[in-house]
Amino acid sequence: MAIRSEMCCRCCSKTQQKIWVFGTATVFLVLGLVGIICGPSLIMDMIYKMLPLKEGGRTYDKWANTPVPIYMAMYLYNWTNTEDVRVKGVKPNFERVGPYVFREERIKQNITWYPNNTVSFMPQRFWYFEPDMSGGTLEDKITCPHLPTIAASNIARDFPKVIKVFFNIALNSNGGALYQTHTADEWLFKGFYDEFLDYAMKLNNSMTGDIKDNHFAWFLHRNGSADFEGIFTINTGAEDLREMGELKLWNGVNHTGYFKDECGRVNGSTSDLFVPNRKPDEWITIFMKDTCRIINLVPSGRTTIEGIEGIRYETKPDTYDSGTLNPDMKCYCPRELMPNNCPKHGATDIRSCADGAPMFMSHPGFLYADPSYANTTTGTKADPEKDVFFITMEPKLGVPLDVNVAIQISLYIQPDRDISLLRGIPSFYAPLFTINSIAKITPDIAKEVKLALNIPNIGLYTGIGITCLAVLIASVGIFVTVTKRWYEPIGDENTIINNH
């Protein structure tokens, strides 16, 4: 081997040897610098090309069947002083009970692909009670306002007095009530027979509306339903990655019709897929079907979860505004309350989305809201630790790391002298339930994310290695030049062999 190597080198002149050595060093140096400067971005571009949603793609399986465990923590509010509701100066007292924790499984049905780079689907969700994670049992007795009575009374509030007299008689004779007591399971999913709903269902007129069931629960027939949430159409990101996961249509239209102008426009994410390569100051927008509106979350700082650095996005004081703090949100004020009777900041009137029932959406405990909401009752206080609505996300890949979707639904109850059940009571915002949808990335999925994030460094480190090799080769060439140790060229191979 030594003979052959020496023979090869001595076949070349010193100039040729220098060209080979310094030429090789130059080529390696160029390749190394390209790897250092362009390698990470080129590899990241290759990763981004793999991200668009397509059948059989890397994103598809995790989108169709969410791999991260999701839990829905439900809190109910027990009305503890119902007998004192008509005592002057006594405020209704509501105690938050729970949580009742359910493991949530998400499946997408009727997935249909379209040539304009969109895909439609119907979300299907299953909830399984987790007693070990819960702060109560499903047999807990809870006293809550009777929504059917309050909703019907709200519709009848502006009717002529003569009609209200007959309505009052019918309400009192057919199961109307200011409040009722049932188990947590009955209030949440199981449901209970409701005499007033049964009566209203038989009437089916303009006063009662289209009642489809004589049973009541907050999430009646919701568990496992494949069509309850409707049809969502989102962008796949195949043409523009900045559009991936963006909601384009809900039930075939781009406007909900529940709020005016921009407030009713369908947009944002369905929370299953987020746009990658997000800028540090960029907002997150999610669409919430249950409340028929979008929620904006703004960056609030950086944090590290499972070894992955992410940006935490939170709601803010004007999230549930109707124009008081932010004039652009005036369109969340119900048409019938414009322009001077819009709700104060901190709660969105969602009656248009709740079949006319005077229901409000807010942060739990009326966090960030005008004090006038929480001051109408006692017993409930906001907890900034668990009542904040946030999503922590890795911005390059758009992967959620930690999620706490926290909302409260309340019922506005007002007195009415013509309706005996409401006569003599104060006006108050009764908290009905709080939903905390919780998800956190698992260690296994975190490893996949970290690997994807570290792959671009391979290009960087490879470039550094090649550059170091180029420097080493050049250094050897310089050393040999300075010490004059280049091989003397010998043309006759036999001479080289004979010398050995």
Side-chain angles (χ1 to χ4, degrees):
M1 291 298 293
I3 295 174
R4 182 65 60 186
S5 174
E6 183 181 334
M7 179 187 70
C8 253
C9 290
R10 292 192 174 186
C11 287
C12 303
S13 67
K14 290 184 179 180
T15 300
Q16 289 175 320
Q17 294 174 44
K18 293 177 181 179
I19 290 174
W20 275 106
V21 170
F22 290 110
T24 300
T26 301
V27 171
F28 280 3
L29 180 63
V30 171
L31 291 175
L33 292 176
V34 170
I36 293 172
I37 298 171
C38 303
S41 60
L42 289 173
I43 294 176
M44 204 67 207
D45 287 343
M46 293 174 61
I47 292 175
Y48 284 146
K49 288 179 181 179
M50 299 167 62
L51 288 182
L53 186 61
K54 60 182 178 180
E55 196 167 9
R58 297 184 66 87
T59 304
Y60 177 80
D61 288 340
K62 292 181 174 57
W63 171 78
N65 296 282
T66 306
V68 176
I70 301 173
Y71 295 94
M72 184 174 71
M74 296 288 302
Y75 292 88
L76 295 175
Y77 291 86
N78 187 36
W79 189 355
T80 63
N81 63 343
T82 54
E83 297 301 319
D84 299 330
V85 68
R86 290 179 176 82
V87 177
K88 188 174 181 180
V90 176
K91 296 179 181 180
N93 186 76
F94 291 87
E95 292 182 355
R96 191 187 315 200
V97 292
Y100 304 96
V101 180
F102 296 82
R103 176 172 49 86
E104 180 178 315
E105 289 186 4
R106 297 183 180 183
I107 300 174
K108 293 175 176 61
Q109 302 286 4
N110 297 338
I111 298 174
T112 306
W113 304 89
Y114 300 100
N116 64 342
N117 299 315
T118 61
V119 58
S120 66
F121 61 94
M122 299 177 72
Q124 184 178 20
R125 306 190 190 203
F126 297 87
W127 288 281
Y128 304 93
F129 184 58
E130 296 285 348
D132 294 340
M133 300 176 66
S134 300
T137 74
L138 293 180
E139 300 306 313
D140 292 345
K141 294 288 187 178
I142 313 292
T143 299
C144 292
H146 187 234
L147 177 62
T149 293
I150 305 304
S153 299
N154 189 66
I155 295 173
R157 185 173 300 279
D158 296 326
F159 286 174
K161 190 165 185 177
V162 175
I163 297 179
K164 289 179 72 175
V165 169
F166 288 103
F167 170 79
N168 186 52
I169 295 172
L171 188 66
N172 293 329
S173 304
N174 295 278
L178 179 59
Y179 54 86
Q180 288 190 355
T181 301
H182 298 280
T183 66
D185 194 19
E186 289 173 328
W187 281 116
L188 292 172
F189 290 105
K190 184 178 179 181
F192 54 85
Y193 169 76
D194 191 274
E195 182 183 352
F196 181 68
L197 280 180
D198 187 70
Y199 169 74
M201 195 170 144
K202 294 172 183 176
L203 287 180
N204 193 26
N205 57 30
S206 59
M207 185 181 297
T208 60
D210 183 19
I211 307 297
K212 296 182 174 63
D213 202 298
N214 60 6
H215 283 68
F216 180 82
W218 303 126
F219 301 95
L220 188 67
H221 304 318
R222 180 72 177 272
N223 201 344
S225 172
D227 56 8
F228 186 90
E229 297 188 41
I231 303 173
F232 294 84
T233 303
I234 64 172
N235 193 294
T236 63
E239 185 174 344
D240 184 359
L241 197 60
R242 293 290 302 168
E243 291 285 314
M244 187 177 75
E246 287 294 292
L247 184 61
K248 297 302 179 184
L249 302 171
W250 178 40
N251 291 327
V253 295
N254 62 3
H255 198 282
T256 66
Y258 294 113
F259 297 103
K260 287 181 61 179
D261 306 327
E262 193 69 14
C263 292
R265 188 170 66 87
V266 171
N267 70 107
S269 167
T270 59
S271 77
D272 296 308
L273 204 61
F274 290 94
V275 171
N277 199 19
R278 192 174 291 274
K279 298 176 182 177
D281 59 347
E282 196 173 346
W283 292 13
I284 286 179
T285 300
I286 61 174
F287 178 78
M288 303 186 68
K289 179 269 169 192
D290 290 321
T291 56
C292 310
R293 60 160 291 177
I294 62 169
I295 300 292
N296 290 318
L297 298 96
V298 300
S300 63
R302 291 184 175 270
T303 185
T304 300
I305 296 174
E306 294 289 346
I308 303 171
E309 185 179 12
I311 299 175
R312 176 160 162 148
Y313 301 83
E314 296 182 0
T315 50
K316 52 182 184 173
D318 72 351
T319 296
Y320 301 112
D321 188 29
S322 298
T324 304
L325 301 179
N326 185 350
D328 292 337
M329 301 184 72
K330 188 76 171 180
C331 46
Y332 280 117
C333 178
R335 293 175 176 86
E336 59 269 29
L337 299 181
M338 284 188 175
N340 301 318
N341 295 314
C342 295
K344 295 181 180 180
H345 78 271
T348 298
D349 189 326
I350 58 172
R351 71 182 67 192
S352 60
C353 182
D355 297 322
M359 300 180 76
F360 285 75
M361 174 187 184
S362 68
H363 291 101
F366 292 110
L367 181 69
Y368 303 141
D370 187 280
S372 60
Y373 293 104
N375 287 344
T376 62
T377 62
T378 59
T380 60
K381 292 183 179 180
D383 184 344
E385 291 297 321
K386 65 181 179 182
D387 292 337
V388 66
F389 187 145
F390 71 84
I391 296 177
T392 301
M393 181 176 299
E394 194 293 307
K396 289 184 179 179
L397 300 178
V399 177
L401 305 176
D402 192 14
V403 177
N404 184 49
V405 176
I407 63 171
Q408 175 179 301
I409 301 298
S410 305
L411 182 65
Y412 184 45
I413 301 177
Q414 297 174 273
D416 192 309
R417 65 179 61 187
D418 298 320
I419 301 174
S420 56
L421 289 171
L422 301 179
R423 191 178 299 143
I425 68 170
S427 296
F428 61 100
Y429 293 88
L432 299 178
F433 57 86
T434 291
I435 301 176
N436 284 62
S437 188
I438 304 165
K440 192 169 185 176
I441 193 168
T442 62
D444 288 342
I445 297 178
K447 288 179 182 178
E448 294 182 26
V449 174
K450 285 188 280 190
L451 176 61
L453 291 173
N454 288 327
I455 285 177
N457 291 331
I458 294 176
L460 174 64
Y461 296 142
T462 302
I464 292 174
I466 294 175
T467 301
C468 291
L469 181 59
V471 172
L472 178 62
I473 294 173
S475 299
V476 170
I478 293 172
F479 174 78
V480 173
T481 300
V482 172
T483 59
K484 299 180 180 180
R485 295 187 180 183
W486 293 107
Y487 283 109
E488 293 294 336
I490 299 177
D492 188 356
E493 185 176 323
N494 292 324
T495 304
I496 299 174
I497 297 174
N498 291 332
N499 289 337
H500 289 78

